Amino acid sequence: MLFRSRVEAAGGQGAFYAVDLADAAAIENTVAATLADLGTPYAVINNASTYPRGAVVEMSRADFERTFAVNVIAPWHVCKLFGPSMIVAGRGVVINIASSRAMDPTPTGANYAASKSALISLTKTLAAEWAAHNIRVNSILPGVAMTAMPLENTTVEELIARGKKQIPLGRIATAEDMAGVAAFLVSPDASYITGQGIAVTGGRTMVPQNILWLILKRVESRATISLNNRAIT
């Protein structure tokens, strides 16, 4: 395998396991094999996802449920199984690959957008639960990239044209753009960063979620004051 050869060429130890992330038993067996072969991981990156497309009224329940099984339940299960040994070790990093679709209306992709929103929420909760154990948990929100998933429904030429027209930086992302952010998040340079969702979208997504949260809290606070003053009944 190319990945394994690169790891070993850099002086590391590599292993490859095939697993169906919609199968709980397969996840459990793979995590057990990983711990037995390689020991407690320092970094866990949940990258796999599925994206069956279809309008809400057309999509089957099976496709919707499988999207959540792979995109949300599998990362939760992987973290649950690796978590105990990482907690004992007292260090570690988890990166969940979400999507900028989580922040936008996504026609024919309600299942995918909703699953990635849930993954961002899971990331924040894990970050809060595991901070005391020196385990950082963050998510990356990729924009459209030159990868297999978007090319299922378009061409390379159309993606390039879309990047020039829609992305402030004038191009579609590459896998290397995401890998660079992931490498930063697992490095000591990111030792004070946890619970964050980092949008890697070439500038197309520019409103941080924490700012949206502050706006909502301000609106909520004003509503409470109005209620207390009986301005609203």
Side-chain angles (χ1 to χ4, degrees), residues 105-166:
T106 308
T108 72
N111 55 322
Y112 184 76
S115 72
K116 293 302 185 177
S117 294
L119 185 59
I120 293 170
S121 180
L122 174 64
T123 298
K124 294 177 180 180
T125 298
L126 280 174
E129 289 188 1
W130 289 358
H133 305 291
N134 194 34
I135 300 172
R136 298 183 294 105
V137 188
N138 293 289
S139 60
I140 296 174
L141 285 62
V144 178
M146 194 66 71
T147 55
M149 188 176 287
L151 288 172
E152 291 174 358
N153 293 300
T154 188
T155 66
V156 171
E157 292 74 20
E158 289 172 342
L159 273 184
I160 292 173
R162 189 193 308 179
K164 290 179 179 178
K165 181 179 180 180
Q166 299 179 354

Short mmCIF file of all heavy atoms in Angstrom, two decimals, residues 105-166:
data_model
loop_
_atom_site.label_atom_id
_atom_site.label_comp_id
_atom_site.label_asym_id
_atom_site.label_seq_id
_atom_site.Cartn_x
_atom_site.Cartn_y
_atom_site.Cartn_z
N PRO A 105 -27.12 25.62 3.29
CA PRO A 105 -28.20 24.79 2.72
C PRO A 105 -27.60 23.88 1.66
O PRO A 105 -26.74 24.31 0.87
CB PRO A 105 -29.14 25.83 2.09
CG PRO A 105 -28.79 27.13 2.73
CD PRO A 105 -27.32 27.06 3.06
N THR A 106 -28.01 22.62 1.65
CA THR A 106 -27.41 21.67 0.72
C THR A 106 -28.50 20.88 0.00
O THR A 106 -28.83 19.75 0.40
CB THR A 106 -26.46 20.71 1.47
OG1 THR A 106 -25.54 21.49 2.25
CG2 THR A 106 -25.68 19.84 0.51
N PRO A 107 -29.11 21.46 -1.05
CA PRO A 107 -30.12 20.71 -1.81
C PRO A 107 -29.57 19.39 -2.32
O PRO A 107 -28.41 19.33 -2.77
CB PRO A 107 -30.45 21.67 -2.97
CG PRO A 107 -30.12 23.03 -2.44
CD PRO A 107 -28.91 22.82 -1.56
N THR A 108 -30.36 18.35 -2.22
CA THR A 108 -30.00 16.96 -2.55
C THR A 108 -28.92 16.41 -1.64
O THR A 108 -28.32 15.38 -1.95
CB THR A 108 -29.57 16.78 -4.03
OG1 THR A 108 -28.28 17.34 -4.24
CG2 THR A 108 -30.59 17.39 -4.98
N GLY A 109 -28.68 17.08 -0.51
CA GLY A 109 -27.65 16.59 0.41
C GLY A 109 -28.00 16.84 1.87
O GLY A 109 -27.11 17.04 2.69
N ALA A 110 -29.29 16.83 2.21
CA ALA A 110 -29.70 17.07 3.60
C ALA A 110 -29.07 16.04 4.53
O ALA A 110 -28.67 16.37 5.65
CB ALA A 110 -31.22 17.03 3.72
N ASN A 111 -28.99 14.81 4.08
CA ASN A 111 -28.41 13.74 4.89
C ASN A 111 -26.94 14.02 5.21
O ASN A 111 -26.50 13.89 6.35
CB ASN A 111 -28.53 12.40 4.16
CG ASN A 111 -27.92 12.44 2.77
OD1 ASN A 111 -28.03 13.44 2.04
ND2 ASN A 111 -27.30 11.36 2.35
N TYR A 112 -26.20 14.44 4.20
CA TYR A 112 -24.76 14.69 4.37
C TYR A 112 -24.52 15.91 5.25
O TYR A 112 -23.73 15.87 6.20
CB TYR A 112 -24.12 14.90 2.99
CG TYR A 112 -22.63 15.07 3.02
CD1 TYR A 112 -21.79 13.98 3.21
CD2 TYR A 112 -22.04 16.32 2.84
CE1 TYR A 112 -20.41 14.13 3.21
CE2 TYR A 112 -20.68 16.48 2.85
CZ TYR A 112 -19.86 15.38 3.02
OH TYR A 112 -18.49 15.54 3.04
N ALA A 113 -25.22 17.02 4.95
CA ALA A 113 -25.05 18.25 5.72
C ALA A 113 -25.42 18.03 7.18
O ALA A 113 -24.71 18.47 8.10
CB ALA A 113 -25.88 19.38 5.12
N ALA A 114 -26.53 17.33 7.42
CA ALA A 114 -26.96 17.08 8.80
C ALA A 114 -25.96 16.20 9.53
O ALA A 114 -25.67 16.42 10.71
CB ALA A 114 -28.34 16.43 8.80
N SER A 115 -25.42 15.21 8.84
CA SER A 115 -24.44 14.33 9.49
C SER A 115 -23.17 15.07 9.85
O SER A 115 -22.58 14.85 10.91
CB SER A 115 -24.12 13.13 8.59
OG SER A 115 -23.34 13.50 7.46
N LYS A 116 -22.75 15.98 8.99
CA LYS A 116 -21.53 16.73 9.27
C LYS A 116 -21.75 17.78 10.36
O LYS A 116 -20.84 18.09 11.14
CB LYS A 116 -21.00 17.39 7.99
CG LYS A 116 -20.51 16.39 6.94
CD LYS A 116 -19.40 15.51 7.49
CE LYS A 116 -18.81 14.59 6.43
NZ LYS A 116 -17.67 13.78 6.92
N SER A 117 -22.96 18.32 10.45
CA SER A 117 -23.30 19.20 11.58
C SER A 117 -23.21 18.43 12.89
O SER A 117 -22.69 18.92 13.90
CB SER A 117 -24.70 19.78 11.40
OG SER A 117 -24.77 20.63 10.28
N ALA A 118 -23.74 17.21 12.87
CA ALA A 118 -23.68 16.37 14.07
C ALA A 118 -22.24 16.05 14.44
O ALA A 118 -21.89 16.01 15.63
CB ALA A 118 -24.47 15.08 13.83
N LEU A 119 -21.39 15.84 13.45
CA LEU A 119 -19.99 15.53 13.72
C LEU A 119 -19.28 16.72 14.37
O LEU A 119 -18.44 16.55 15.26
CB LEU A 119 -19.29 15.12 12.42
CG LEU A 119 -17.85 14.64 12.55
CD1 LEU A 119 -17.75 13.42 13.47
CD2 LEU A 119 -17.28 14.30 11.17
N ILE A 120 -19.62 17.93 13.93
CA ILE A 120 -19.05 19.12 14.55
C ILE A 120 -19.48 19.22 16.01
O ILE A 120 -18.68 19.54 16.90
CB ILE A 120 -19.46 20.38 13.77
CG1 ILE A 120 -18.80 20.38 12.38
CG2 ILE A 120 -19.06 21.66 14.53
CD1 ILE A 120 -19.33 21.45 11.44
N SER A 121 -20.74 18.94 16.28
CA SER A 121 -21.24 18.96 17.65
C SER A 121 -20.54 17.89 18.49
O SER A 121 -20.16 18.15 19.65
CB SER A 121 -22.76 18.72 17.65
OG SER A 121 -23.27 18.74 18.96
N LEU A 122 -20.37 16.70 17.95
CA LEU A 122 -19.65 15.64 18.65
C LEU A 122 -18.23 16.09 18.98
O LEU A 122 -17.71 15.83 20.08
CB LEU A 122 -19.62 14.38 17.79
CG LEU A 122 -18.78 13.21 18.32
CD1 LEU A 122 -19.35 12.68 19.63
CD2 LEU A 122 -18.70 12.09 17.28
N THR A 123 -17.60 16.76 18.03
CA THR A 123 -16.23 17.25 18.24
C THR A 123 -16.15 18.16 19.45
O THR A 123 -15.25 18.02 20.30
CB THR A 123 -15.76 18.02 16.98
OG1 THR A 123 -15.73 17.13 15.86
CG2 THR A 123 -14.38 18.62 17.19
N LYS A 124 -17.09 19.09 19.57
CA LYS A 124 -17.08 20.04 20.68
C LYS A 124 -17.27 19.34 22.02
O LYS A 124 -16.61 19.66 23.02
CB LYS A 124 -18.15 21.10 20.47
CG LYS A 124 -17.91 22.01 19.26
CD LYS A 124 -19.08 22.97 19.10
CE LYS A 124 -18.86 23.89 17.91
NZ LYS A 124 -20.00 24.83 17.73
N THR A 125 -18.20 18.38 22.05
CA THR A 125 -18.46 17.67 23.30
C THR A 125 -17.26 16.82 23.72
O THR A 125 -16.88 16.80 24.90
CB THR A 125 -19.72 16.79 23.16
OG1 THR A 125 -20.83 17.64 22.88
CG2 THR A 125 -19.98 16.01 24.43
N LEU A 126 -16.66 16.12 22.76
CA LEU A 126 -15.46 15.34 23.08
C LEU A 126 -14.33 16.24 23.58
O LEU A 126 -13.61 15.89 24.51
CB LEU A 126 -14.99 14.56 21.84
CG LEU A 126 -15.74 13.27 21.52
CD1 LEU A 126 -15.24 12.70 20.19
CD2 LEU A 126 -15.55 12.24 22.62
N ALA A 127 -14.20 17.41 22.94
CA ALA A 127 -13.15 18.34 23.38
C ALA A 127 -13.36 18.75 24.83
O ALA A 127 -12.40 18.83 25.62
CB ALA A 127 -13.14 19.57 22.48
N ALA A 128 -14.62 18.99 25.21
CA ALA A 128 -14.92 19.39 26.58
C ALA A 128 -14.69 18.23 27.56
O ALA A 128 -14.16 18.43 28.66
CB ALA A 128 -16.37 19.88 26.68
N GLU A 129 -15.06 17.01 27.16
CA GLU A 129 -14.92 15.86 28.05
C GLU A 129 -13.47 15.44 28.23
O GLU A 129 -13.09 14.97 29.30
CB GLU A 129 -15.73 14.68 27.50
CG GLU A 129 -17.24 14.86 27.62
CD GLU A 129 -18.01 13.60 27.25
OE1 GLU A 129 -17.37 12.57 26.90
OE2 GLU A 129 -19.26 13.64 27.30
N TRP A 130 -12.66 15.58 27.18
CA TRP A 130 -11.31 15.02 27.21
C TRP A 130 -10.21 16.05 27.45
O TRP A 130 -9.04 15.69 27.54
CB TRP A 130 -11.04 14.27 25.91
CG TRP A 130 -11.81 12.99 25.80
CD1 TRP A 130 -12.67 12.45 26.73
CD2 TRP A 130 -11.81 12.08 24.69
NE1 TRP A 130 -13.19 11.27 26.28
CE2 TRP A 130 -12.69 11.01 25.03
CE3 TRP A 130 -11.15 12.06 23.47
CZ2 TRP A 130 -12.92 9.94 24.17
CZ3 TRP A 130 -11.39 10.99 22.60
CH2 TRP A 130 -12.26 9.94 22.95
N ALA A 131 -10.57 17.31 27.59
CA ALA A 131 -9.54 18.33 27.81
C ALA A 131 -8.74 18.05 29.08
O ALA A 131 -7.52 18.26 29.12
CB ALA A 131 -10.19 19.71 27.89
N ALA A 132 -9.42 17.57 30.12
CA ALA A 132 -8.73 17.28 31.39
C ALA A 132 -7.70 16.16 31.25
O ALA A 132 -6.82 16.03 32.10
CB ALA A 132 -9.76 16.91 32.45
N HIS A 133 -7.81 15.38 30.18
CA HIS A 133 -6.87 14.29 29.96
C HIS A 133 -5.79 14.65 28.94
O HIS A 133 -5.06 13.78 28.45
CB HIS A 133 -7.63 13.05 29.47
CG HIS A 133 -8.74 12.63 30.39
ND1 HIS A 133 -8.51 12.11 31.65
CD2 HIS A 133 -10.09 12.68 30.23
CE1 HIS A 133 -9.67 11.85 32.22
NE2 HIS A 133 -10.64 12.19 31.39
N ASN A 134 -5.71 15.95 28.59
CA ASN A 134 -4.71 16.43 27.64
C ASN A 134 -4.92 15.83 26.24
O ASN A 134 -3.97 15.58 25.50
CB ASN A 134 -3.29 16.13 28.14
CG ASN A 134 -2.23 16.90 27.36
OD1 ASN A 134 -2.46 18.04 26.93
ND2 ASN A 134 -1.08 16.28 27.16
N ILE A 135 -6.19 15.62 25.90
CA ILE A 135 -6.54 15.14 24.57
C ILE A 135 -7.31 16.26 23.87
O ILE A 135 -8.34 16.72 24.37
CB ILE A 135 -7.41 13.87 24.64
CG1 ILE A 135 -6.65 12.75 25.35
CG2 ILE A 135 -7.80 13.42 23.22
CD1 ILE A 135 -7.50 11.53 25.64
N ARG A 136 -6.79 16.69 22.75
CA ARG A 136 -7.42 17.78 21.99
C ARG A 136 -8.27 17.19 20.87
O ARG A 136 -7.88 16.21 20.23
CB ARG A 136 -6.36 18.71 21.41
CG ARG A 136 -5.52 19.41 22.49
CD ARG A 136 -4.53 20.39 21.89
NE ARG A 136 -3.49 19.75 21.10
CZ ARG A 136 -3.43 19.75 19.78
NH1 ARG A 136 -4.39 20.35 19.06
NH2 ARG A 136 -2.44 19.15 19.14
N VAL A 137 -9.43 17.80 20.64
CA VAL A 137 -10.34 17.31 19.61
C VAL A 137 -10.81 18.50 18.76
O VAL A 137 -11.38 19.45 19.29
CB VAL A 137 -11.57 16.61 20.23
CG1 VAL A 137 -12.41 15.95 19.14
CG2 VAL A 137 -11.15 15.60 21.28
N ASN A 138 -10.54 18.43 17.47
CA ASN A 138 -10.92 19.50 16.56
C ASN A 138 -11.53 18.90 15.29
O ASN A 138 -11.39 17.70 15.03
CB ASN A 138 -9.71 20.36 16.19
CG ASN A 138 -9.16 21.14 17.36
OD1 ASN A 138 -9.79 22.09 17.83
ND2 ASN A 138 -8.00 20.75 17.85
N SER A 139 -12.18 19.74 14.52
CA SER A 139 -12.71 19.30 13.24
C SER A 139 -12.20 20.20 12.12
O SER A 139 -11.89 21.38 12.34
CB SER A 139 -14.24 19.28 13.23
OG SER A 139 -14.76 20.56 13.47
N ILE A 140 -12.08 19.63 10.94
CA ILE A 140 -11.74 20.36 9.73
C ILE A 140 -12.96 20.37 8.84
O ILE A 140 -13.60 19.33 8.64
CB ILE A 140 -10.54 19.73 9.01
CG1 ILE A 140 -9.28 19.81 9.87
CG2 ILE A 140 -10.29 20.41 7.65
CD1 ILE A 140 -8.08 19.08 9.29
N LEU A 141 -13.30 21.54 8.31
CA LEU A 141 -14.46 21.69 7.43
C LEU A 141 -13.97 21.99 6.02
O LEU A 141 -13.78 23.14 5.65
CB LEU A 141 -15.36 22.83 7.92
CG LEU A 141 -16.23 22.60 9.15
CD1 LEU A 141 -15.40 22.31 10.40
CD2 LEU A 141 -17.13 23.80 9.38
N PRO A 142 -13.72 20.97 5.22
CA PRO A 142 -13.23 21.23 3.86
C PRO A 142 -14.32 21.84 2.98
O PRO A 142 -15.51 21.59 3.16
CB PRO A 142 -12.87 19.82 3.34
CG PRO A 142 -12.81 18.95 4.55
CD PRO A 142 -13.79 19.55 5.51
N GLY A 143 -13.87 22.66 2.05
CA GLY A 143 -14.76 23.09 0.97
C GLY A 143 -14.65 22.09 -0.17
O GLY A 143 -14.17 20.97 0.01
N VAL A 144 -15.10 22.49 -1.34
CA VAL A 144 -15.02 21.60 -2.50
C VAL A 144 -13.55 21.39 -2.86
O VAL A 144 -12.78 22.33 -2.97
CB VAL A 144 -15.77 22.20 -3.70
CG1 VAL A 144 -15.64 21.30 -4.92
CG2 VAL A 144 -17.24 22.39 -3.35
N ALA A 145 -13.17 20.12 -3.00
CA ALA A 145 -11.77 19.79 -3.28
C ALA A 145 -11.69 18.87 -4.49
O ALA A 145 -12.66 18.22 -4.88
CB ALA A 145 -11.14 19.10 -2.06
N MET A 146 -10.52 18.82 -5.06
CA MET A 146 -10.27 17.96 -6.21
C MET A 146 -10.05 16.53 -5.73
O MET A 146 -8.95 15.99 -5.73
CB MET A 146 -9.05 18.47 -6.98
CG MET A 146 -8.90 17.86 -8.38
SD MET A 146 -10.24 18.34 -9.51
CE MET A 146 -9.86 20.08 -9.79
N THR A 147 -11.15 15.94 -5.28
CA THR A 147 -11.11 14.58 -4.75
C THR A 147 -12.24 13.76 -5.37
O THR A 147 -13.05 14.28 -6.14
CB THR A 147 -11.25 14.58 -3.22
OG1 THR A 147 -12.44 15.29 -2.86
CG2 THR A 147 -10.05 15.26 -2.55
N ALA A 148 -12.29 12.49 -5.02
CA ALA A 148 -13.22 11.57 -5.68
C ALA A 148 -14.68 11.93 -5.48
O ALA A 148 -15.50 11.80 -6.41
CB ALA A 148 -12.96 10.15 -5.18
N MET A 149 -15.05 12.41 -4.28
CA MET A 149 -16.47 12.62 -3.98
C MET A 149 -17.13 13.65 -4.90
O MET A 149 -18.16 13.35 -5.53
CB MET A 149 -16.67 12.98 -2.52
CG MET A 149 -18.13 13.03 -2.10
SD MET A 149 -18.35 13.34 -0.33
CE MET A 149 -17.86 11.75 0.34
N PRO A 150 -16.59 14.87 -5.05
CA PRO A 150 -17.25 15.82 -5.96
C PRO A 150 -17.18 15.40 -7.42
O PRO A 150 -18.05 15.75 -8.21
CB PRO A 150 -16.49 17.13 -5.71
CG PRO A 150 -15.21 16.74 -5.09
CD PRO A 150 -15.49 15.50 -4.32
N LEU A 151 -16.15 14.63 -7.77
CA LEU A 151 -16.01 14.19 -9.16
C LEU A 151 -17.01 13.10 -9.53
O LEU A 151 -17.08 12.70 -10.70
CB LEU A 151 -14.58 13.71 -9.42
CG LEU A 151 -13.52 14.82 -9.46
CD1 LEU A 151 -12.13 14.23 -9.53
CD2 LEU A 151 -13.76 15.76 -10.64
N GLU A 152 -17.79 12.63 -8.56
CA GLU A 152 -18.85 11.68 -8.87
C GLU A 152 -19.93 12.31 -9.73
O GLU A 152 -20.62 11.61 -10.49
CB GLU A 152 -19.48 11.14 -7.58
CG GLU A 152 -18.57 10.25 -6.74
CD GLU A 152 -19.20 9.89 -5.41
OE1 GLU A 152 -20.33 10.35 -5.14
OE2 GLU A 152 -18.57 9.13 -4.65
N ASN A 153 -20.10 13.64 -9.62
CA ASN A 153 -21.20 14.32 -10.31
C ASN A 153 -20.75 15.48 -11.20
O ASN A 153 -21.58 16.27 -11.63
CB ASN A 153 -22.21 14.85 -9.28
CG ASN A 153 -22.93 13.73 -8.56
OD1 ASN A 153 -23.61 12.93 -9.20
ND2 ASN A 153 -22.75 13.64 -7.27
N THR A 154 -19.46 15.57 -11.46
CA THR A 154 -18.97 16.65 -12.32
C THR A 154 -17.65 16.24 -12.95
O THR A 154 -17.21 15.11 -12.79
CB THR A 154 -18.82 17.96 -11.50
OG1 THR A 154 -18.53 19.03 -12.39
CG2 THR A 154 -17.71 17.85 -10.47
N THR A 155 -17.02 17.15 -13.65
CA THR A 155 -15.74 16.87 -14.30
C THR A 155 -14.65 17.73 -13.70
O THR A 155 -14.92 18.74 -13.00
CB THR A 155 -15.82 17.16 -15.81
OG1 THR A 155 -16.01 18.58 -16.00
CG2 THR A 155 -16.97 16.39 -16.45
N VAL A 156 -13.40 17.37 -13.96
CA VAL A 156 -12.27 18.17 -13.47
C VAL A 156 -12.36 19.59 -14.00
O VAL A 156 -12.14 20.57 -13.28
CB VAL A 156 -10.94 17.51 -13.90
CG1 VAL A 156 -9.77 18.44 -13.60
CG2 VAL A 156 -10.75 16.18 -13.19
N GLU A 157 -12.70 19.73 -15.28
CA GLU A 157 -12.79 21.05 -15.89
C GLU A 157 -13.86 21.92 -15.24
O GLU A 157 -13.65 23.12 -14.99
CB GLU A 157 -13.07 20.91 -17.40
CG GLU A 157 -11.95 20.30 -18.21
CD GLU A 157 -11.80 18.80 -18.00
OE1 GLU A 157 -12.79 18.16 -17.54
OE2 GLU A 157 -10.72 18.27 -18.28
N GLU A 158 -15.00 21.30 -14.93
CA GLU A 158 -16.08 22.05 -14.27
C GLU A 158 -15.69 22.47 -12.86
O GLU A 158 -16.02 23.57 -12.40
CB GLU A 158 -17.35 21.20 -14.24
CG GLU A 158 -18.01 21.04 -15.60
CD GLU A 158 -19.15 20.04 -15.58
OE1 GLU A 158 -19.21 19.22 -14.63
OE2 GLU A 158 -19.97 20.07 -16.51
N LEU A 159 -14.97 21.60 -12.14
CA LEU A 159 -14.50 21.95 -10.80
C LEU A 159 -13.52 23.12 -10.85
O LEU A 159 -13.59 24.04 -10.03
CB LEU A 159 -13.83 20.75 -10.14
CG LEU A 159 -14.73 19.77 -9.38
CD1 LEU A 159 -13.87 18.69 -8.72
CD2 LEU A 159 -15.57 20.48 -8.33
N ILE A 160 -12.61 23.08 -11.78
CA ILE A 160 -11.63 24.17 -11.92
C ILE A 160 -12.36 25.48 -12.22
O ILE A 160 -12.05 26.53 -11.63
CB ILE A 160 -10.61 23.84 -13.02
CG1 ILE A 160 -9.72 22.68 -12.59
CG2 ILE A 160 -9.76 25.08 -13.35
CD1 ILE A 160 -8.79 22.17 -13.67
N ALA A 161 -13.34 25.44 -13.12
CA ALA A 161 -14.10 26.65 -13.46
C ALA A 161 -14.88 27.15 -12.26
O ALA A 161 -14.96 28.37 -12.02
CB ALA A 161 -15.04 26.34 -14.63
N ARG A 162 -15.46 26.24 -11.47
CA ARG A 162 -16.20 26.63 -10.28
C ARG A 162 -15.29 27.32 -9.28
O ARG A 162 -15.66 28.32 -8.65
CB ARG A 162 -16.85 25.41 -9.63
CG ARG A 162 -17.81 25.77 -8.51
CD ARG A 162 -18.21 24.58 -7.67
NE ARG A 162 -18.71 23.46 -8.43
CZ ARG A 162 -19.10 22.31 -7.88
NH1 ARG A 162 -19.03 22.14 -6.56
NH2 ARG A 162 -19.54 21.33 -8.64
N GLY A 163 -14.08 26.81 -9.13
CA GLY A 163 -13.13 27.41 -8.20
C GLY A 163 -12.77 28.84 -8.60
O GLY A 163 -12.72 29.73 -7.74
N LYS A 164 -12.56 29.06 -9.87
CA LYS A 164 -12.20 30.40 -10.34
C LYS A 164 -13.34 31.38 -10.15
O LYS A 164 -13.12 32.56 -9.87
CB LYS A 164 -11.82 30.33 -11.82
CG LYS A 164 -10.50 29.61 -12.10
CD LYS A 164 -10.19 29.57 -13.58
CE LYS A 164 -8.87 28.88 -13.84
NZ LYS A 164 -8.55 28.79 -15.30
N LYS A 165 -14.57 30.89 -10.24
CA LYS A 165 -15.74 31.77 -10.17
C LYS A 165 -16.23 31.98 -8.75
O LYS A 165 -16.64 33.09 -8.39
CB LYS A 165 -16.87 31.18 -11.02
CG LYS A 165 -18.13 32.02 -11.04
CD LYS A 165 -19.20 31.37 -11.92
CE LYS A 165 -20.48 32.20 -11.95
NZ LYS A 165 -21.52 31.58 -12.82
N GLN A 166 -16.20 30.93 -7.92
CA GLN A 166 -16.88 30.99 -6.63
C GLN A 166 -15.97 31.13 -5.42
O GLN A 166 -16.43 31.55 -4.36
CB GLN A 166 -17.73 29.72 -6.44
CG GLN A 166 -18.81 29.55 -7.49
CD GLN A 166 -19.61 28.28 -7.29
OE1 GLN A 166 -19.29 27.45 -6.44
NE2 GLN A 166 -20.65 28.09 -8.09
#
